[in-house]
Amino acid sequence: MRLVILGAPGAGKGTQAQILAADFGIPHVATGVIFRHNVDTETPLGLRAKAYMDRGELVPDEVVIGMVTERLSETDAGRGFILDGFPRTVPQAEALEIFLQERDTPLDVVVRLEVPEEELLARLEARRELEHRTDDDSEVIRKRLVEYRSKTAPLVTFYSERGLLRDVQAVGTVEDVTARTKQLLADLDPV
Ligand code: AMP
């Protein structure tokens, strides 16, 4: 299963991706997690990404694309993967499409987690209390939502046009959302 999980910051992508990846026995590739790890260990990649992340802006496409294609070239991703937080721009989606086409391993599905805006803000505020992420302060949260709307939301059209997009209402408990997502994946046409 090769899956992209799409949704605004706070939609629950990380939580759901982690559960599904464990269930399917495939890697969970989360660009935000990889970036935060690189920031914490002060690698050159981390140092480059940190300023953007702290401002709530997207890291430049070429940096992210290189990092993801390297990760997807590792052996474990040959069985499939769940991408969480990537792609976030149309150029990233195009680069991913070409990378996968060259390997004859196209995406199976793109799952969009849909959450109303006021619920997103409430979740992000709650996460700020819990995780103390430097990019979860109110101004940066606002900026991340703006970035999402302007740069990531166009992926909905990109993937709809390719017949890959499926929506999941991502409200209710974590278990509810997982169950809805699994049902949707079970109903997919065999590929
Ligand atoms: P996340 O944990 O997915 O919300 O990502 C945290 C931050 O990492 C984002 O606000 C961006 O600064 C950066 N980031 C993660 N994934 C990407 C991506 N695909 N493109 C650009 N920046 C990204």
Side-chain angles (χ1 to χ4, degrees):
M1 166 85 56
R2 289 177 294 275
L3 187 157
V4 165
I5 194 151
L6 205 65
K13 298 188 296 294
T15 305
Q16 294 300 329
Q18 216 169 343
I19 296 171
L20 295 170
D23 247 53
F24 295 134
I26 53 179
H28 168 206
V29 178
T31 45
V33 173
I34 302 175
F35 278 133
R36 279 189 289 282
H37 176 73
N38 277 276
V39 169
D40 290 347
T41 53
E42 298 182 342
T43 66
L45 178 70
L47 294 174
R48 183 141 186 228
K50 184 173 170 20
Y52 296 98
M53 294 171 73
D54 284 349
R55 290 194 297 264
E57 292 172 10
L58 295 184
V59 176
D61 284 337
E62 70 275 12
V63 177
V64 191
I65 291 167
M67 183 176 92
V68 171
T69 52
E70 223 172 85
R71 177 64 188 90
L72 295 184
S73 302
E74 287 175 31
T75 324
D76 63 343
R79 283 179 286 122
F81 51 79
I82 300 188
L83 274 173
D84 157 17
F86 182 94
R88 256 180 162 102
T89 65
V90 171
Q92 291 179 17
E94 287 168 345
L96 177 67
E97 187 171 61
I98 291 167
F99 174 86
L100 295 176
Q101 250 162 22
E102 284 171 356
R103 283 152 188 80
D104 212 12
T105 55
L107 288 176
D108 295 310
V109 64
V110 175
V111 172
R112 174 170 55 152
L113 299 182
E114 283 202 295
V115 178
E117 172 107 12
E118 61 277 13
E119 166 97 16
L120 285 178
L121 288 169
R123 287 187 191 181
L124 288 167
E125 289 291 342
R127 185 166 79 187
R128 173 161 70 140
E129 302 293 313
L130 275 176
E131 294 181 12
H132 305 291
R133 272 175 54 166
T134 52
D135 60 353
D136 267 351
D137 88 50
S138 305
E139 196 46 38
V140 177
I141 287 173
R142 203 191 53 77
K143 176 71 184 166
R144 285 166 61 212
L145 289 171
V146 169
E147 288 276 81
Y148 179 78
R149 271 186 234 109
S150 63
K151 297 183 180 155
T152 309
L155 295 182
V156 170
T157 309
F158 182 93
Y159 286 123
S160 300
E161 284 171 357
R162 286 156 176 75
L164 287 171
L165 191 80
R166 302 287 184 280
D167 282 330
V168 169
Q169 296 308 313
V171 288
T173 64
V174 168
E175 293 75 21
D176 290 341
V177 179
T178 305
R180 269 178 227 139
T181 310
K182 281 187 166 175
Q183 185 60 53
L184 178 155
L185 297 177
D187 292 345
L188 281 184
D189 290 339
V191 280

